[in-house]
Amino acid sequence: MAGTDNNSLDGLVGRDYAAGFVTDIEADTLPPGLDEDVVRFISARKDEPEWLTQWRLDAYHGWLEMIEPSWGQVQFPAIDYQSISYYSAPSGDQPKTLDDVDPEILATYEKLGIPLHEQAALAGVAETQQRPPVAVDAVFDSVSIGTTFKETLREAGVIFCSFTEAVHDYPDLVRKYLGSVVPRGDNFFAALNSAVFSDGSFVYVPENTRCPMELSTYFRINERNTGQFERTLIIAERGAYVSYLEGCTAPMRDENQLHAAVVELIALDDAEIKYSTVQNWYPGDEDGRGGIYNFVTKRGACRGDRSKISWTQVETGSAITWKYPSVVLRGDDSVGEFYSVALTNNHQQADTGTKMVHLGKNTRSTIISKGISAGQSSNAYRGLVRMNPGAEKARNYTQCDSLLIGEKCAAHTFPYIESRRPDGIVEHEATTSRVSDDQLFLCRQRGIDPEKAVSMIVNGFCKDVFRELPMEFAVEAGKLLEVSLEGAVG
Amino acid sequence: MNLLEISDLAVSVGNQPILRGIDLNVCAGEVHAIMGPNGSGKSTLANVIAGREDYQIDRGRIALEGQEITTLSPEERAHRGLFLAFQYPIEIPGVSNMEFLKAAVDSHARAAGDPEITAVDFMQMARSAAEQLGLNPEFLKRGVNEGFSGGEKKRNEILQMLILKPKVSILDETDSGLDIDALRIVANGISAFTNTINAVVLVTHYQRLLDHIEPDFVHVIANGSIVRSGDHSLALELEEKGYSWLEND
């Protein structure tokens, strides 16, 4: 880019993080620190059965022996795990229904554009036919404050509730599947989560049932100095289908906050799970102060033959993102997909990708990753494709594209391929490109301002992934990219 | 009335002078041709008029409809009615032609304080312009210049001109890469577009485009200066003798 116009591609200014406000409510927050008593407190607070308390304690003891992973292409000062509060919930009794929820909290979700009233959501349908209702589980700091459309879903046999409720109402299902995809000792952050997880969402779709609406969980961190450790468990029985969306935001704060979640998906014979994420945690300011550390373990198990798990993620937030939504393809003819857009701006760092582990015959996986780096950010794709000896005729296709905006950002690609099948087919394509001054000048000559031009170019770059998102989310994701890129040209 | 007025324009890149004092007046209703050998500064002139920022303007001014635009951004110049058809149109993968054109048209409407055109009206306008240039309407759904042939890229530039209806259009080597049939279609499109209130400046190396669109004035640039101006017969003379006799003047 010789002769670069210094006004066009350099110089990042503040971005507009619309979800950065704080809700002023009374909260019961544990003092900072982590020991056995904290683990027992959380378990007792949730009135958990003894086996689960023990499960947590085993995870805790395992965690004490582990060290933080250091292989990621990310840098951050050591986290003091004793300075974090591991539990924070709005004061008072747990609300029984949405009508009991603190109006301040309801107003928060309204401000974020998340409909928590079924009535309102239904009215929306009457106005515009294209807006189907979405059932929402709203997680505020450490607890779920309400789940909508539970009755409608129950009629279809679908269970959608907070993790805490699931432990009480469906203990057998929880006990059977918890930790079956991501074991307690899987990695440092998964072990920490297993010890102190506070809430999250639980989904069970019975045999041959197509979940009648989109399900979604909206995570909100509000309290200062707390970590959010939630767990999501989704089980699709034979022939079941479910599409699940996840969104996240947090207030703007100068200190970093830790979010270490675990998501486990289980698909049995002929079942399909589609899991979409729009991650917009507070990314920190333009100097790299504050922001969320998003250290998340997500894994799906295609246990059944012909089952399918598809991850779609749009990652625009967080100071640091460290996550690899993966699929273990155990069932014959099972299918794993990973579609990702990860955008970093200012001083954000992302090390994200996927693992596709082929165990069954004729298993297929597709990986489409689009990384966009702007400002002084660093964006890495890290992916593993493994074909085990039993994975007869397994196939993978990986496409991994990086787009650079400006001169000070970085893009890295770390693809790992381990094939122990002579008949396995692994294809890998990768490109790195730049938003060029020529593209920008073409747009500007046609009257399009530089910010709109960059957002249009980036949206075009991400098209293959946005196509995979549910309609409403695709529009949302496009807008989010636009906001996140604000100031990338100026 | 002078639509485009360039006076004593001198431009350099690094410390290398490219244009050494250009004067040019283009009035409404006129077609000008700027000819010259490779490296004479033709494309630089076209890009500097459009506001490309890779060049240093050492002196001189550029005015559009009597108002100086020398320091305006490229998009402001575009909104005031200046258009540049690129010599090498660049690809924007994943952004459809339609989306791109609509964004361009909307930006012009906003700048003029006009309401945005409806999607239906826009579609009709775009389809009829595509038809005029012998392009299948499917063409509008493809990514901007993505996988286009050389000829398609050039036609796409003219399509954008027909839709944006600029006052002054500078067409940089629009004829290069076109076969005879495509050249005729593009030339007809340009001819049909010209009227008494706009003007077209054809930047070209060869005379062949001028067989289809007769210019009112022909200017020859060599070594960063206009060394000769005349009518169409000058272009024919160049065709016969080449450029060297002018450069050696």
Side-chain angles (χ1 to χ4, degrees), chain A residues 385-425:
Chain A
V385 176
R386 176 185 293 155
M387 296 186 170
N388 274 26
E392 201 176 292
K393 292 186 179 149
R395 275 179 290 160
N396 163 267
Y397 173 73
T398 299
Q399 186 189 328
C400 189
D401 299 325
S402 306
L403 184 68
L404 302 170
I405 303 173
E407 309 271 326
K408 294 178 189 144
C409 53
H412 312 269
T413 308
F414 305 101
Y416 303 87
I417 297 168
E418 298 171 11
S419 181
R420 293 205 258 156
R421 284 297 310 186
D423 57 354
I425 299 174

CSV table of all heavy atoms in Angstrom, one decimal, chain A residues 385-425:
chain,number,residue,atom,x,y,z
A,385,VAL,N,-8.0,-30.7,12.5
A,385,VAL,CA,-8.8,-31.7,11.8
A,385,VAL,C,-8.1,-33.0,12.1
A,385,VAL,O,-6.9,-33.2,11.7
A,385,VAL,CB,-8.9,-31.4,10.3
A,385,VAL,CG1,-9.7,-32.5,9.7
A,385,VAL,CG2,-9.6,-30.1,10.1
A,386,ARG,N,-8.8,-33.9,12.8
A,386,ARG,CA,-8.1,-35.2,13.1
A,386,ARG,C,-9.0,-36.3,12.5
A,386,ARG,O,-10.2,-36.3,12.7
A,386,ARG,CB,-8.0,-35.4,14.6
A,386,ARG,CG,-7.4,-36.8,14.9
A,386,ARG,CD,-7.3,-37.0,16.4
A,386,ARG,NE,-6.4,-36.2,17.0
A,386,ARG,CZ,-6.4,-35.8,18.3
A,386,ARG,NH1,-7.4,-36.2,19.0
A,386,ARG,NH2,-5.5,-35.0,18.8
A,387,MET,N,-8.4,-37.2,11.8
A,387,MET,CA,-9.1,-38.4,11.3
A,387,MET,C,-8.5,-39.6,11.9
A,387,MET,O,-7.3,-40.0,11.6
A,387,MET,CB,-9.0,-38.4,9.8
A,387,MET,CG,-9.7,-37.2,9.2
A,387,MET,SD,-9.8,-37.1,7.5
A,387,MET,CE,-11.0,-35.7,7.4
A,388,ASN,N,-9.3,-40.3,12.8
A,388,ASN,CA,-8.8,-41.4,13.5
A,388,ASN,C,-8.9,-42.7,12.6
A,388,ASN,O,-9.5,-42.7,11.6
A,388,ASN,CB,-9.6,-41.6,14.8
A,388,ASN,CG,-9.1,-40.8,15.9
A,388,ASN,OD1,-8.4,-39.8,15.7
A,388,ASN,ND2,-9.4,-41.3,17.1
A,389,PRO,N,-8.2,-43.8,13.0
A,389,PRO,CA,-8.2,-45.0,12.2
A,389,PRO,C,-9.5,-45.5,11.7
A,389,PRO,O,-9.7,-46.0,10.6
A,389,PRO,CB,-7.4,-46.0,13.0
A,389,PRO,CG,-6.6,-45.2,13.9
A,389,PRO,CD,-7.4,-43.9,14.2
A,390,GLY,N,-10.5,-45.3,12.6
A,390,GLY,CA,-11.9,-45.8,12.2
A,390,GLY,C,-12.7,-44.9,11.3
A,390,GLY,O,-13.7,-45.3,10.8
A,391,ALA,N,-12.2,-43.8,11.0
A,391,ALA,CA,-12.9,-42.8,10.2
A,391,ALA,C,-12.8,-43.0,8.7
A,391,ALA,O,-12.3,-42.2,8.0
A,391,ALA,CB,-12.5,-41.4,10.6
A,392,GLU,N,-13.3,-44.2,8.3
A,392,GLU,CA,-13.3,-44.5,6.9
A,392,GLU,C,-13.9,-43.5,6.0
A,392,GLU,O,-15.0,-43.0,6.3
A,392,GLU,CB,-14.1,-45.8,6.8
A,392,GLU,CG,-13.7,-46.7,5.6
A,392,GLU,CD,-14.6,-48.0,5.6
A,392,GLU,OE1,-14.3,-48.8,6.5
A,392,GLU,OE2,-15.5,-48.1,4.8
A,393,LYS,N,-13.1,-43.1,5.0
A,393,LYS,CA,-13.6,-42.1,4.0
A,393,LYS,C,-14.1,-40.8,4.6
A,393,LYS,O,-15.1,-40.2,4.1
A,393,LYS,CB,-14.7,-42.7,3.1
A,393,LYS,CG,-14.2,-43.9,2.2
A,393,LYS,CD,-15.3,-44.4,1.3
A,393,LYS,CE,-14.7,-45.5,0.4
A,393,LYS,NZ,-15.7,-46.4,0.0
A,394,ALA,N,-13.5,-40.4,5.6
A,394,ALA,CA,-13.9,-39.1,6.2
A,394,ALA,C,-13.4,-38.0,5.3
A,394,ALA,O,-12.4,-38.1,4.6
A,394,ALA,CB,-13.2,-39.0,7.6
A,395,ARG,N,-14.1,-36.9,5.4
A,395,ARG,CA,-13.8,-35.7,4.5
A,395,ARG,C,-13.8,-34.4,5.3
A,395,ARG,O,-14.7,-34.2,6.2
A,395,ARG,CB,-14.8,-35.6,3.4
A,395,ARG,CG,-14.5,-36.5,2.2
A,395,ARG,CD,-15.5,-36.3,1.1
A,395,ARG,NE,-16.8,-36.9,1.5
A,395,ARG,CZ,-18.0,-36.6,1.0
A,395,ARG,NH1,-18.1,-35.7,0.1
A,395,ARG,NH2,-19.0,-37.2,1.4
A,396,ASN,N,-13.0,-33.5,5.0
A,396,ASN,CA,-13.0,-32.2,5.6
A,396,ASN,C,-12.7,-31.2,4.5
A,396,ASN,O,-11.9,-31.4,3.7
A,396,ASN,CB,-12.0,-32.0,6.7
A,396,ASN,CG,-11.7,-30.6,7.1
A,396,ASN,OD1,-10.8,-29.9,6.6
A,396,ASN,ND2,-12.5,-30.0,7.9
A,397,TYR,N,-13.4,-30.0,4.6
A,397,TYR,CA,-13.0,-28.9,3.8
A,397,TYR,C,-12.8,-27.7,4.7
A,397,TYR,O,-13.7,-27.4,5.5
A,397,TYR,CB,-14.2,-28.6,2.8
A,397,TYR,CG,-13.9,-27.3,2.0
A,397,TYR,CD1,-12.9,-27.3,1.1
A,397,TYR,CD2,-14.6,-26.2,2.3
A,397,TYR,CE1,-12.6,-26.1,0.4
A,397,TYR,CE2,-14.3,-25.0,1.6
A,397,TYR,CZ,-13.4,-25.0,0.7
A,397,TYR,OH,-13.1,-23.8,0.0
A,398,THR,N,-11.7,-27.1,4.6
A,398,THR,CA,-11.4,-25.9,5.5
A,398,THR,C,-11.1,-24.7,4.6
A,398,THR,O,-10.3,-24.8,3.6
A,398,THR,CB,-10.2,-26.1,6.4
A,398,THR,OG1,-10.5,-27.2,7.2
A,398,THR,CG2,-9.9,-24.9,7.2
A,399,GLN,N,-11.8,-23.6,4.9
A,399,GLN,CA,-11.5,-22.3,4.2
A,399,GLN,C,-11.2,-21.3,5.2
A,399,GLN,O,-12.1,-21.1,6.1
A,399,GLN,CB,-12.6,-22.0,3.2
A,399,GLN,CG,-12.3,-20.8,2.4
A,399,GLN,CD,-13.5,-20.3,1.6
A,399,GLN,OE1,-14.4,-21.0,1.3
A,399,GLN,NE2,-13.5,-19.0,1.4
A,400,CYS,N,-10.1,-20.6,5.1
A,400,CYS,CA,-9.7,-19.8,6.2
A,400,CYS,C,-9.2,-18.5,5.6
A,400,CYS,O,-8.1,-18.4,5.0
A,400,CYS,CB,-8.6,-20.6,6.9
A,400,CYS,SG,-8.0,-20.0,8.3
A,401,ASP,N,-10.0,-17.4,5.7
A,401,ASP,CA,-9.6,-16.2,5.1
A,401,ASP,C,-9.4,-15.1,6.1
A,401,ASP,O,-10.1,-14.9,7.1
A,401,ASP,CB,-10.7,-15.7,4.2
A,401,ASP,CG,-11.0,-16.7,3.0
A,401,ASP,OD1,-10.0,-17.3,2.6
A,401,ASP,OD2,-12.2,-16.9,2.7
A,402,SER,N,-8.4,-14.3,5.9
A,402,SER,CA,-8.1,-13.1,6.8
A,402,SER,C,-8.1,-11.8,6.0
A,402,SER,O,-7.7,-11.8,4.9
A,402,SER,CB,-6.7,-13.3,7.4
A,402,SER,OG,-6.5,-14.5,8.0
A,403,LEU,N,-8.7,-10.8,6.6
A,403,LEU,CA,-8.8,-9.5,6.0
A,403,LEU,C,-8.1,-8.5,7.0
A,403,LEU,O,-8.5,-8.5,8.2
A,403,LEU,CB,-10.3,-9.2,5.8
A,403,LEU,CG,-10.5,-7.8,5.1
A,403,LEU,CD1,-10.1,-7.9,3.6
A,403,LEU,CD2,-12.0,-7.5,5.1
A,404,LEU,N,-7.2,-7.7,6.5
A,404,LEU,CA,-6.5,-6.8,7.3
A,404,LEU,C,-7.0,-5.4,6.9
A,404,LEU,O,-7.2,-5.0,5.8
A,404,LEU,CB,-5.0,-6.8,7.0
A,404,LEU,CG,-4.3,-8.2,7.3
A,404,LEU,CD1,-2.9,-8.2,6.8
A,404,LEU,CD2,-4.4,-8.5,8.8
A,405,ILE,N,-7.2,-4.6,8.0
A,405,ILE,CA,-7.6,-3.2,7.7
A,405,ILE,C,-6.5,-2.3,8.4
A,405,ILE,O,-6.4,-2.3,9.7
A,405,ILE,CB,-9.0,-2.8,8.3
A,405,ILE,CG1,-10.0,-3.8,7.7
A,405,ILE,CG2,-9.4,-1.4,8.1
A,405,ILE,CD1,-11.4,-3.7,8.3
A,406,GLY,N,-5.7,-1.6,7.7
A,406,GLY,CA,-4.7,-0.8,8.3
A,406,GLY,C,-3.4,-1.5,8.3
A,406,GLY,O,-3.2,-2.6,7.8
A,407,GLU,N,-2.4,-0.9,9.0
A,407,GLU,CA,-1.0,-1.3,8.9
A,407,GLU,C,-0.5,-2.0,10.2
A,407,GLU,O,0.6,-2.5,10.2
A,407,GLU,CB,-0.1,-0.1,8.6
A,407,GLU,CG,-0.6,0.7,7.4
A,407,GLU,CD,0.0,0.3,6.1
A,407,GLU,OE1,1.2,-0.2,6.2
A,407,GLU,OE2,-0.7,0.3,5.1
A,408,LYS,N,-1.2,-1.8,11.3
A,408,LYS,CA,-0.6,-2.2,12.6
A,408,LYS,C,-1.3,-3.5,13.2
A,408,LYS,O,-1.0,-3.9,14.3
A,408,LYS,CB,-0.8,-1.1,13.6
A,408,LYS,CG,0.0,0.2,13.2
A,408,LYS,CD,-0.2,1.3,14.2
A,408,LYS,CE,0.4,2.6,13.7
A,408,LYS,NZ,-0.4,3.7,14.0
A,409,CYS,N,-2.2,-4.1,12.4
A,409,CYS,CA,-2.8,-5.3,13.0
A,409,CYS,C,-2.1,-6.5,12.5
A,409,CYS,O,-1.3,-6.5,11.6
A,409,CYS,CB,-4.3,-5.3,12.5
A,409,CYS,SG,-4.5,-5.1,10.8
A,410,ALA,N,-2.5,-7.7,13.1
A,410,ALA,CA,-1.9,-8.9,12.7
A,410,ALA,C,-2.9,-10.0,12.5
A,410,ALA,O,-4.0,-10.0,13.1
A,410,ALA,CB,-0.9,-9.3,13.8
A,411,ALA,N,-2.6,-10.9,11.6
A,411,ALA,CA,-3.5,-12.1,11.4
A,411,ALA,C,-2.6,-13.3,11.4
A,411,ALA,O,-1.5,-13.3,10.8
A,411,ALA,CB,-4.2,-12.0,10.1
A,412,HIS,N,-3.0,-14.4,12.1
A,412,HIS,CA,-2.2,-15.6,12.1
A,412,HIS,C,-3.1,-16.8,11.8
A,412,HIS,O,-4.3,-16.8,12.1
A,412,HIS,CB,-1.6,-15.8,13.5
A,412,HIS,CG,-1.0,-14.6,14.1
A,412,HIS,ND1,0.3,-14.4,14.0
A,412,HIS,CD2,-1.5,-13.6,14.8
A,412,HIS,CE1,0.6,-13.2,14.6
A,412,HIS,NE2,-0.5,-12.7,15.1
A,413,THR,N,-2.5,-17.8,11.2
A,413,THR,CA,-3.3,-19.0,10.9
A,413,THR,C,-2.5,-20.2,11.4
A,413,THR,O,-1.3,-20.4,11.1
A,413,THR,CB,-3.6,-19.2,9.4
A,413,THR,OG1,-4.2,-17.9,9.0
A,413,THR,CG2,-4.5,-20.3,9.2
A,414,PHE,N,-3.1,-21.0,12.3
A,414,PHE,CA,-2.5,-22.3,12.8
A,414,PHE,C,-3.3,-23.5,12.5
A,414,PHE,O,-4.1,-23.9,13.3
A,414,PHE,CB,-2.2,-22.2,14.3
A,414,PHE,CG,-1.5,-21.0,14.7
A,414,PHE,CD1,-2.1,-19.9,15.3
A,414,PHE,CD2,-0.1,-20.9,14.6
A,414,PHE,CE1,-1.4,-18.8,15.7
A,414,PHE,CE2,0.6,-19.8,15.1
A,414,PHE,CZ,-0.1,-18.7,15.6
A,415,PRO,N,-3.3,-24.0,11.3
A,415,PRO,CA,-4.1,-25.2,11.0
A,415,PRO,C,-3.3,-26.5,11.4
A,415,PRO,O,-2.1,-26.6,11.0
A,415,PRO,CB,-4.3,-25.1,9.5
A,415,PRO,CG,-3.1,-24.3,9.0
A,415,PRO,CD,-2.5,-23.5,10.1
A,416,TYR,N,-3.9,-27.4,12.1
A,416,TYR,CA,-3.3,-28.7,12.4
A,416,TYR,C,-4.1,-29.8,11.7
A,416,TYR,O,-5.3,-29.8,11.9
A,416,TYR,CB,-3.3,-28.9,13.9
A,416,TYR,CG,-2.6,-27.9,14.7
A,416,TYR,CD1,-3.3,-26.7,15.1
A,416,TYR,CD2,-1.3,-28.0,15.1
A,416,TYR,CE1,-2.7,-25.7,15.9
A,416,TYR,CE2,-0.7,-27.0,15.8
A,416,TYR,CZ,-1.4,-25.9,16.2
A,416,TYR,OH,-0.8,-24.9,17.0
A,417,ILE,N,-3.5,-30.6,11.0
A,417,ILE,CA,-4.2,-31.7,10.3
A,417,ILE,C,-3.5,-33.0,10.7
A,417,ILE,O,-2.3,-33.2,10.6
A,417,ILE,CB,-4.1,-31.6,8.8
A,417,ILE,CG1,-4.9,-30.3,8.4
A,417,ILE,CG2,-4.8,-32.8,8.1
A,417,ILE,CD1,-4.6,-29.9,6.9
A,418,GLU,N,-4.3,-33.9,11.3
A,418,GLU,CA,-3.7,-35.2,11.7
A,418,GLU,C,-4.6,-36.3,11.1
A,418,GLU,O,-5.7,-36.5,11.6
A,418,GLU,CB,-3.7,-35.4,13.2
A,418,GLU,CG,-2.9,-34.4,14.0
A,418,GLU,CD,-3.1,-34.4,15.5
A,418,GLU,OE1,-3.8,-35.3,16.0
A,418,GLU,OE2,-2.6,-33.5,16.1
A,419,SER,N,-4.1,-36.9,10.0
A,419,SER,CA,-5.0,-37.9,9.3
A,419,SER,C,-4.3,-39.2,9.5
A,419,SER,O,-3.2,-39.4,9.1
A,419,SER,CB,-5.2,-37.5,7.9
A,419,SER,OG,-6.0,-38.5,7.3
A,420,ARG,N,-5.0,-40.2,10.0
A,420,ARG,CA,-4.5,-41.5,10.1
A,420,ARG,C,-5.3,-42.5,9.2
A,420,ARG,O,-5.5,-43.7,9.5
A,420,ARG,CB,-4.6,-42.0,11.6
A,420,ARG,CG,-3.6,-41.2,12.4
A,420,ARG,CD,-3.1,-41.9,13.6
A,420,ARG,NE,-3.8,-41.4,14.8
A,420,ARG,CZ,-4.0,-42.1,15.9
A,420,ARG,NH1,-3.6,-43.4,16.0
A,420,ARG,NH2,-4.6,-41.6,16.9
A,421,ARG,N,-5.9,-41.9,8.2
A,421,ARG,CA,-6.7,-42.6,7.2
A,421,ARG,C,-6.1,-42.3,5.8
A,421,ARG,O,-6.1,-41.2,5.4
A,421,ARG,CB,-8.1,-42.2,7.2
A,421,ARG,CG,-9.0,-42.6,8.3
A,421,ARG,CD,-9.2,-44.1,8.4
A,421,ARG,NE,-9.6,-44.7,7.2
A,421,ARG,CZ,-10.0,-46.0,7.1
A,421,ARG,NH1,-9.9,-46.8,8.1
A,421,ARG,NH2,-10.3,-46.5,5.9
A,422,PRO,N,-5.7,-43.4,5.1
A,422,PRO,CA,-5.2,-43.1,3.8
A,422,PRO,C,-6.3,-42.6,2.8
A,422,PRO,O,-6.0,-41.9,1.9
A,422,PRO,CB,-4.6,-44.5,3.3
A,422,PRO,CG,-5.3,-45.5,4.2
A,422,PRO,CD,-5.6,-44.8,5.5
A,423,ASP,N,-7.5,-43.0,3.1
A,423,ASP,CA,-8.6,-42.6,2.2
A,423,ASP,C,-9.3,-41.3,2.7
A,423,ASP,O,-10.3,-40.9,2.2
A,423,ASP,CB,-9.6,-43.7,2.1
A,423,ASP,CG,-10.2,-44.2,3.4
A,423,ASP,OD1,-9.7,-43.6,4.5
A,423,ASP,OD2,-11.1,-45.0,3.5
A,424,GLY,N,-8.8,-40.7,3.8
A,424,GLY,CA,-9.4,-39.4,4.2
A,424,GLY,C,-9.1,-38.3,3.3
A,424,GLY,O,-8.0,-38.3,2.7
A,425,ILE,N,-10.0,-37.4,3.1
A,425,ILE,CA,-9.8,-36.2,2.2
A,425,ILE,C,-9.8,-35.0,3.1
A,425,ILE,O,-10.8,-34.7,3.7
A,425,ILE,CB,-10.8,-36.2,1.1
A,425,ILE,CG1,-10.8,-37.5,0.3
A,425,ILE,CG2,-10.6,-34.9,0.2
A,425,ILE,CD1,-11.9,-37.5,-0.8
